[in-house]
Amino acid sequence: MEHKRNIVRALPYLAALIVFLIVTLFCFAPQFEGKVLSQHDILQYDGMTEDILQHREAFGEDPQWEGNMFSGMPAYLINMKYDGAVVKTLSKAFYFLGQPAALIFLAMAFFFCMLLCMKVNPWIGLIPSLAYGFSTYFFVIIGAGHMTKMMVLAFAPMLFGGVWYAYRRNMWAGAALTAFFGSLMIGANHPQITYYFLMIVAAFWISELVRAYKEKILARFAKVTGLLVLAGVLAVGSNAGMLYYIQTHSKDTIRGGSELKASSSSMEGKEGLDLEYATAWSYGKGETLNLLIPNLYGGSTEGGFSDDGEVAQALAKYGARNMATHLPAYWGPQPITSGPMYVGAVALFLAVLGLFLLRRRVTVWIVVIALLAILLAWGKNLMWFTELFYYYFPMYDKFRTVSTILVIVGWCVPLLAALTLQKLWSGEVPREKLFKGLKYTTIAVGGIALLFLLLGGTLLSFTGEGDSQMFGGQQVDDVFAAMRADALRSLVFVLLTAGTVLLFYRQKIKRGGFVLVLALLVTADMVPVNLRYLRRDKFVEERHNTIRPTEADKQILADKELGFRVLNMTVSPFNDATTSYFHRSVGGYHGAKLRRYQDLIERYLGKMDIGVYNMLNTKYVIVQGEDGTPEAQLNPGANGAAWFVDSVRLVDGPDAEIAALGGLDTKTVAVVDKPF
């Protein structure tokens, strides 16, 4: 009898894990057929690390210097094995499904575990966990190859789960969970996402401080806070080697600012990223509504037109109909984007419903941090607010792509949905309160979808800069039709969710049916949208997912002279690391390159100053040949790996130093700042 009771108790937990496994297997089916995901950033990473891996294999040690990118840069932020990273090493056991599928499974499983820490019923916990794991942003970044970012997002729910558990249940167990998952997040080495989730923890801490004051439990609050600080110290300490090198290196990178007074990459006396660079990817104010309507702004710059729409018909005249699905449909304010921050109509409806059903003390801190994230995601579209944080909030100026902060909203929405469902599950909601909440939530959330369904053509332009004449305007018809289709689908899911809640409250469906229907609605809502941005054709045979040498590469590799460098003009040279896979490149791809080299790029290399390229011993330039294939051209003016000069010109300060390079004969004269 006891054995049967244990099975019954374990059933919801097993059911949740089985559901997470099944949906993950479906979404990543090609991975389990032996294919691999073709990811831009992974190919770039292969180019970044090849020189390091060759050194490690040849000498059995980590090099401190990577010679094949940006004429050489420290290896700390690229690929380095740190002694004593025990927790990070153990975390590899979590990836038993293989990447990237394992990351979506872990995101769901750890969100589920977080809800268990918060005493949410496991049957109910399944639904918001699906919503969190199915966040469209997750599939977008996996497709782009931002794997460290996704690792942190998978572990992050349990960081909060540990903090909540410490304050509300057992401080020792909660602190242990916080230390462990904090260590995993730091070890994954994406500080920006870790920083955002620490903002969530800070908001919750303030809420708990207010609660402790009102309930006169400040002594216990102080003990828990001290214990959590110790947990944070342990999490940092377990990654001390990596963090030390990153911190040592950071001040000399573009994230530490430029030492030039007249630099476009920094303001005088200000460390951190250039504000314009940091806010280049700012979410549009209206674009924020794609949290509810995914195709509101066209979706993606990587493609998105229908294969039977107006654009496809226009291309059919030229025999290129199949090109329509690869043309950029996105028309919003961001330079490029791989997809929207869609959180799901079902989850968003339940979250908003919670604002009417839950106590204000429960929701206020969640709403505040979510709204703060939205305002900061607007970046240059709300510059005064962005500048407030950029100049005065610790470390905020170290991060670019401000729209990324919407991951906070992607966590808050399913959390609010979970708390709402738990309230409904408990049967504690008065009839009048529920009916009022359902009415206003349906009007608010469904009304937005209905508004764009009926009046979207007058509310939005559907054209971005420079594309208004493309195909004679047929693209406007296509993106308008896509927007209306998504507005309609979101409206349908809102109404179905409202109807399901109403039927459950009236006991027309049982608890099991309630969970089943909502789980199916979340899955049907999110998966088709996600597969737009992680299409099956992005999975390729493994042999095709490698950097292959061109004839130009082979020609250069045949030159056995040491120390020369290569400029590849067939790619964006300072945003592409594939050249570094084979050669000592003057370019590369990294978000924290040396600030002095960035100054050189902006002042000379980007303007093709041949004297500076000669100074860097750029012996070969890869260009597009007449037949369209890359070809290698010899630069006879390259200075060589080392040379003697006739004289040294001493100058005062870095500005004078870099200015002196202009028009300088670097073969005969060297410029040196006096302190050196």
Side-chain angles (χ1 to χ4, degrees):
M1 186 63 72
E2 184 63 28
H3 178 66
K4 288 183 179 180
R5 279 199 293 267
N6 289 336
I7 292 176
V8 171
R9 291 193 194 103
L11 186 59
Y13 309 100
L14 293 174
L17 293 176
I18 290 170
V19 169
F20 300 155
L21 181 61
I22 290 172
V23 295
T24 301
L25 292 175
F26 172 78
C27 291
F28 293 90
Q31 175 183 322
F32 301 101
E33 296 169 1
K35 295 183 179 180
V36 296
L37 194 58
S38 179
Q39 299 163 294
H40 171 269
D41 276 27
I42 296 301
L43 288 177
Q44 299 300 324
Y45 185 72
D46 289 343
M48 293 181 204
T49 57
E50 181 62 16
D51 184 48
I52 296 171
L53 297 179
Q54 287 183 9
H55 181 99
R56 190 180 291 158
E57 182 177 352
F59 301 102
E61 64 178 12
D62 271 293
Q64 304 296 295
W65 191 256
E66 202 284 334
N68 282 17
M69 277 210 313
F70 299 119
S71 301
M73 65 177 288
Y76 312 142
L77 292 181
I78 302 172
N79 183 300
M80 191 169 176
K81 290 184 177 180
Y82 295 95
D83 294 334
V86 177
V87 176
K88 184 175 181 178
T89 302
L90 291 174
S91 71
K92 294 178 182 179
F94 288 129
Y95 307 127
F96 61 92
L97 283 179
Q99 294 195 41
L103 296 174
I104 294 298
F105 176 82
L106 290 175
M108 294 177 182
F110 286 139
F111 197 90
F112 181 75
C113 291
M114 178 195 76
L115 295 180
L116 295 180
C117 289
M118 299 174 69
K119 292 187 176 181
V120 173
N121 183 280
W123 287 114
I124 284 297
L126 184 151
I127 299 161
S129 299
L130 286 170
Y132 180 74
F134 281 147
S135 172
T136 297
Y137 181 68
F138 293 177
F139 284 73
V140 166
I141 62 175
I142 284 175
H146 299 172
M147 305 309 287
T148 57
K149 184 184 292 185
M150 189 60 228
M151 288 176 190
V152 179
L153 287 166
F155 295 136
M158 277 306 294
L159 175 76
F160 180 81
V163 172
W164 195 97
Y165 203 88
Y167 280 114
R168 298 292 183 89
R169 298 177 74 176
N170 184 300
M171 70 174 76
W172 297 101
L177 287 171
T178 303
F180 180 70
F181 283 94
S183 177
L184 291 179
M185 290 174 69
I186 295 170
N189 197 17
H190 200 288
Q192 186 169 2
I193 302 297
T194 302
Y195 184 89
Y196 292 152
F197 274 86
L198 289 177
M199 289 176 66
I200 292 173
V201 170
F204 177 68
W205 182 85
I206 294 171
S207 174
E208 286 299 286
L209 175 60
V210 173
R211 184 179 75 93
Y213 175 76
K214 289 181 177 179
E215 297 181 6
K216 295 181 172 56
I217 53 171
L218 284 171
R220 185 183 186 280
F221 173 82
K223 288 179 184 177
V224 176
T225 299
L227 199 56
L228 289 174
V229 169
L230 177 60
V233 170
L234 292 174
V236 170
S238 66
N239 294 281
M242 178 188 73
L243 294 174
Y244 170 78
Y245 282 112
I246 290 174
Q247 180 60 31
T248 302
H249 179 212
S250 179
K251 65 180 185 296
D252 295 316
T253 72
I254 58 174
R255 294 175 189 259
S258 173
E259 58 189 344
L260 301 181
K261 294 180 180 179
S263 171
S264 64
S265 64
S266 165
M267 285 157 287
E268 184 177 358
K270 175 73 178 71
E271 292 190 353
L273 289 172
D274 168 46
L275 183 58
E276 183 179 350
Y277 175 68
T279 58
W281 273 264
S282 297
Y283 235 56
K285 294 178 181 178
E287 189 177 11
T288 309
L289 291 176
N290 67 19
L291 292 166
L292 173 64
I293 305 171
N295 250 335
L296 190 67
Y297 274 66
S300 169
T301 51
E302 297 177 4
F305 288 111
S306 168
D307 59 3
D308 60 356
E310 297 291 335
V311 170
Q313 292 179 27
L315 289 169
K317 300 175 184 178
Y318 308 98
R321 175 186 286 271
N322 62 340
M323 286 294 297
T325 57
H326 300 284
L327 291 173
Y330 175 77
W331 57 271
Q334 298 183 77
I336 58 172
T337 179
S338 298
M341 290 272 192
Y342 183 57
V343 298
V346 176
L348 193 58
F349 177 88
L350 292 171
V352 175
L353 179 61
L355 303 183
F356 295 97
L357 304 186
L358 299 168
R359 288 182 298 172
R360 185 173 299 176
R361 191 184 75 184
V362 174
T363 62
V364 65
W365 71 270
I366 304 174
V367 172
V368 168
I369 195 66
L371 289 176
L372 178 65
I374 289 172
L375 296 177
L376 288 173
W378 290 348
K380 62 185 177 184
N381 300 311
L382 193 66
M383 188 60 93
W384 70 268
F385 193 72
T386 297
E387 288 180 342
L388 185 66
F389 273 73
Y390 179 82
Y391 289 116
Y392 302 111
F393 214 70
M395 291 184 64
Y396 189 79
D397 61 354
K398 303 295 183 184
F399 307 122
R400 61 175 185 153
T401 315
V402 293
S403 60
T404 304
I405 200 171
L406 287 174
V407 297
I408 290 177
V409 181
W411 177 86
C412 289
V413 167
L415 175 63
L416 273 174
L419 299 176
T420 304
L421 290 170
Q422 181 64 29
K423 189 78 171 178
L424 292 168
W425 189 265
S426 66
E428 298 173 357
V429 184
R431 181 178 184 277
E432 184 179 344
K433 190 174 186 179
L434 176 70
F435 278 43
K436 182 179 178 181
L438 277 175
K439 181 176 75 172
Y440 288 125
T441 303
T442 304
I443 291 172
V445 182
I448 293 173
L450 182 62
L451 179 67
F452 282 97
L453 176 63
L454 299 178
L455 301 175
T458 59
L459 297 173
L460 302 171
S461 68
F462 302 103
T463 56
E465 294 183 11
D467 69 352
S468 59
Q469 301 303 314
M470 191 171 88
F471 307 116
Q474 284 97 335
Q475 84 282 359
V476 173
D477 297 330
D478 272 13
V479 293
F480 173 63
M483 182 279 297
R484 291 191 76 234
D486 272 2
L488 177 60
R489 77 184 296 280
S490 291
L491 177 60
V492 169
F493 278 111
V494 165
L495 295 176
L496 288 173
T497 307
T500 302
V501 171
L502 186 60
L503 289 173
F504 175 68
Y505 185 80
R506 289 181 168 174
Q507 298 184 343
K508 300 296 183 182
I509 55 176
K510 303 292 185 182
R511 283 183 165 184
F514 182 58
V515 170
L516 177 61
V517 172
L518 284 181
L520 288 174
L521 284 177
V522 169
T523 304
D525 178 14
M526 302 296 291
V527 170
V529 175
N530 294 342
L531 294 184
R532 296 176 188 174
Y533 307 106
L534 195 66
R535 302 187 307 272
R536 294 289 193 258
D537 60 11
K538 284 195 173 185
F539 289 86
V540 298
E541 299 294 336
E542 190 166 3
R543 63 179 179 275
H544 297 311
N545 197 44
T546 56
I547 303 173
R548 296 173 176 275
T550 64
E551 290 303 316
D553 290 323
K554 293 176 183 177
Q555 177 187 337
I556 296 171
L557 289 170
D559 188 334
K560 301 305 179 184
E561 180 183 326
L562 298 176
F564 67 82
R565 296 193 173 96
V566 175
L567 171 66
N568 189 352
M569 296 300 295
T570 66
V571 296
S572 177
F574 304 109
N575 290 289
D576 188 278
T578 56
T579 307
S580 303
Y581 191 87
F582 302 108
H583 314 296
R584 293 164 63 86
S585 173
V586 294
Y589 177 80
H590 202 279
K593 51 184 171 286
L594 292 173
R595 66 186 182 188
R596 281 190 154 220
Y597 202 78
Q598 179 63 29
D599 292 335
L600 200 67
I601 291 170
E602 293 177 1
R603 186 72 66 93
Y604 297 112
L605 300 182
K607 298 175 182 178
M608 297 304 296
D609 187 301
I610 190 62
V612 176
Y613 277 107
N614 286 340
M615 179 186 74
L616 295 174
N617 194 24
T618 310
K619 185 176 181 180
Y620 289 97
V621 180
I622 303 176
V623 298
Q624 206 79 27
E626 292 183 4
D627 60 354
T629 61
E631 67 177 37
Q633 293 184 350
L634 181 68
N635 172 29
N639 287 14
W643 65 98
F644 290 102
V645 294
D646 298 330
S647 61
V648 174
R649 183 187 303 175
L650 295 179
V651 295
D652 288 310
D655 285 276
E657 186 180 22
I658 196 168
L661 279 178
L664 187 75
D665 180 6
T666 57
K667 290 181 173 64
T668 60
V669 182
V671 176
V672 179
D673 191 1
K674 286 182 179 178
F676 295 99

